[in-house]
Amino acid sequence: MKRINAPRRTASLSAQLVDSLRSHIEAGGWPVGTRIPSEQALIEELGVGRSTLREAIGALVHLGLLEPRAGDGTYVRSASELQSVMVRRASSTQRDKVLELRTVLEEYASGAAALRRDESQLRQMRELLADADAASAGADTAAATNVDALFHRAVVRASGNDLLVEVYDYLGTALTSSLGGLSWDAAHAEEHARLHRRLVDAIEAQDAGDARAAAAAIVQLTRDHETAAPRAEEDQ
């Protein structure tokens, strides 16, 4: 029987550097979307050789944390391998399937939030609802979508489940993108706002059942709207 190779007693310098840079990215030292320092600047700061640095950067590119852009340096693509994998997977999946996943996550999180929320979290939800109303009144679609994403993240955080919060944050961009790209007519916009108010009311009343129902209804409204939108475009 072939023996399993024993692990090396010490990690290579490049492996140590990968771990160090990965921790730096995860901690927000280099925020997602920003360009990392130049190769020469990193060599001087870290005190490593060019080949060691390039090997470590290449490993992080392979993991999906960094993205080289020809003639423009290297940028932070995601904060962790899990985020990179999950967002890429969700982005390549049918939007209807993404919405199904969103229903599962938000329905559970909303029920848990009703049981575990504190007053400061409840105030934040109310403030975000007011911001959403203001964005809708100003017909600012981008702002409304951003506020909606913040609102749902606030609900998930109020669930008190750190792992759920982490998974939802990793998928946040892919999940909330399902709300973008379509214009909402007045009737759908009002129903969308009403369901969000119902959700917060249920969370405030600590009614887990109605909170879950409201969360599911919000996603279903989005699914129905997306289904109807192509037909409306064809009729024009």
Side-chain angles (χ1 to χ4, degrees):
M1 180 181 294
K2 185 176 181 180
R3 294 176 58 86
I4 299 174
N5 293 328
R8 289 175 295 176
R9 299 300 180 185
T10 58
S12 67
L13 182 58
S14 62
Q16 294 179 54
L17 185 55
V18 168
D19 289 340
S20 177
L21 295 178
R22 179 166 49 194
S23 296
H24 187 68
I25 293 171
E26 290 177 349
W30 293 336
V32 174
T34 61
R35 184 172 58 187
I36 70 173
S38 68
E39 183 178 88
Q40 187 58 41
L42 288 173
I43 289 172
E44 294 174 1
E45 178 181 352
L46 299 171
V48 297
R50 193 175 304 276
S51 61
T52 298
L53 177 63
R54 288 181 175 178
E55 185 177 348
I57 294 297
L60 293 174
V61 169
H62 180 71
L63 290 172
L65 274 65
L66 297 179
E67 177 185 13
R69 300 180 185 176
D72 193 27
T74 301
Y75 285 75
V76 180
R77 182 179 181 183
S78 61
S80 74
E81 300 102 301
L82 180 59
Q83 180 183 34
S84 175
V85 170
M86 295 179 75
V87 170
R88 184 168 62 248
R89 181 68 178 88
S91 299
S92 63
T93 301
Q94 292 179 349
R95 293 176 77 171
D96 191 59
K97 301 298 183 183
V98 174
L99 286 171
E100 284 185 8
L101 176 58
R102 184 181 169 206
T103 302
V104 171
L105 295 178
E106 292 190 9
E107 187 175 345
Y108 175 83
S110 296
L115 301 176
R116 300 170 182 167
R117 90 308 185 268
D118 59 33
E119 291 303 315
S120 64
Q121 291 168 330
L122 195 58
R123 282 196 303 273
Q124 183 185 29
M125 292 177 208
R126 292 289 185 193
E127 290 170 358
L128 288 169
L129 282 186
D131 291 343
D133 288 341
S136 296
D140 190 339
T141 303
T145 299
N146 289 336
V147 173
D148 188 82
L150 292 174
F151 172 82
H152 288 286
R153 286 191 175 99
V155 172
V156 175
R157 283 195 295 272
S159 73
N161 185 321
D162 292 340
L163 181 58
L164 177 60
V165 172
E166 186 177 4
V167 170
Y168 189 86
D169 280 346
Y170 286 159
L171 283 171
T173 300
L175 292 173
T176 56
S177 67
S178 61
L179 294 174
L182 292 173
S183 59
W184 290 67
D185 57 36
H188 276 96
E190 175 53 36
E191 179 64 5
H192 191 255
R194 185 190 70 79
L195 287 172
H196 280 68
R197 290 192 295 271
R198 174 186 166 188
L199 174 56
V200 177
D201 288 343
I203 291 174
E204 182 173 21
Q206 296 188 297
D207 186 339
D210 195 48
R212 288 194 297 268
I218 289 170
V219 182
Q220 185 60 50
L221 178 68
T222 303
R223 296 175 71 176
D224 292 343
H225 181 52
E226 288 207 341
T227 300
R231 292 200 303 267
E233 292 176 358
E234 291 173 1
D235 292 341
Q236 292 179 354

